[in-house]
Amino acid sequence: MEEVVVERETWTDPEFGSEHEGWVGVLLEDGTVPPPVFFGSESSAHHSEVAQWSVYIGRYPYGPRAAALRGACACGWTGPAHVLDWDRIGDRELQLAGADAADNCVVDWDAHTEEVRLATIALPTVVSDLLGRLTRSRS
């Protein structure tokens, strides 16, 4: 059986964990989100699919060319698009040339998690304790 691993850099907030895991998302020129890029291995049954923003450079074997980057979150939130100027990027590595846009995505995601934090209402200790006991009793 073939094992597939999708790789990309992600961030988590200690308070929210994987519920608000964030990453730099990619948008193509037509506004769609590209699928992960397939990197096969002839020497094993393992291969990886990479969704790291910096592989979307529009040249083989990498993915289609990213038109913009935006913050994304496991909850479904997406931030504003940060357009990539390919005339300015030229032949430079996207990892370096697009770093400012990627950094802006992190800032947007941080603002998103802060909004979530401000909208979150803490449960009274009694209710929280009861939920904890219920969870432990089901285990």
Side-chain angles (χ1 to χ4, degrees):
M1 182 162 170
E2 196 169 311
E3 180 182 336
V4 179
V5 177
V6 178
E7 300 172 13
R8 80 170 141 227
E9 178 183 349
T10 61
W11 329 286
T12 55
D13 180 286
E15 187 174 347
F16 302 117
S18 63
E19 290 180 14
H20 285 281
E21 182 177 58
W23 61 89
V24 175
V26 173
L27 290 174
L28 301 178
E29 190 68 39
D30 65 2
T32 62
V33 175
V37 178
F38 174 84
F39 289 96
S41 173
E42 294 180 19
S43 62
S44 73
H46 301 279
H47 73 271
S48 62
E49 292 183 0
V50 178
Q52 177 68 17
W53 63 271
S54 57
V55 303
Y56 294 94
I57 60 174
R59 293 190 299 269
Y60 181 83
Y62 301 99
R65 190 163 85 169
L69 304 179
R70 67 177 177 182
C73 185
C75 73
W77 170 90
T78 57
H82 299 279
V83 177
L84 296 170
D85 182 351
W86 282 95
D87 289 334
R88 201 181 104 250
I89 292 170
D91 290 334
R92 294 184 298 151
E93 288 186 35
L94 183 55
Q95 181 78 31
L96 299 174
D100 287 343
D103 289 346
N104 287 333
C105 295
V106 177
V107 170
D108 295 340
W109 178 81
D110 284 339
H112 160 66
T113 57
E114 187 58 28
E115 287 177 7
V116 171
R117 186 174 286 104
L118 293 172
T120 302
I121 300 171
L123 291 174
T125 305
V126 172
V127 174
S128 183
D129 291 345
L130 286 171
L131 287 172
R133 289 195 327 223
L134 177 62
T135 301
R136 285 189 298 277
S137 70
R138 295 182 80 200
S139 300

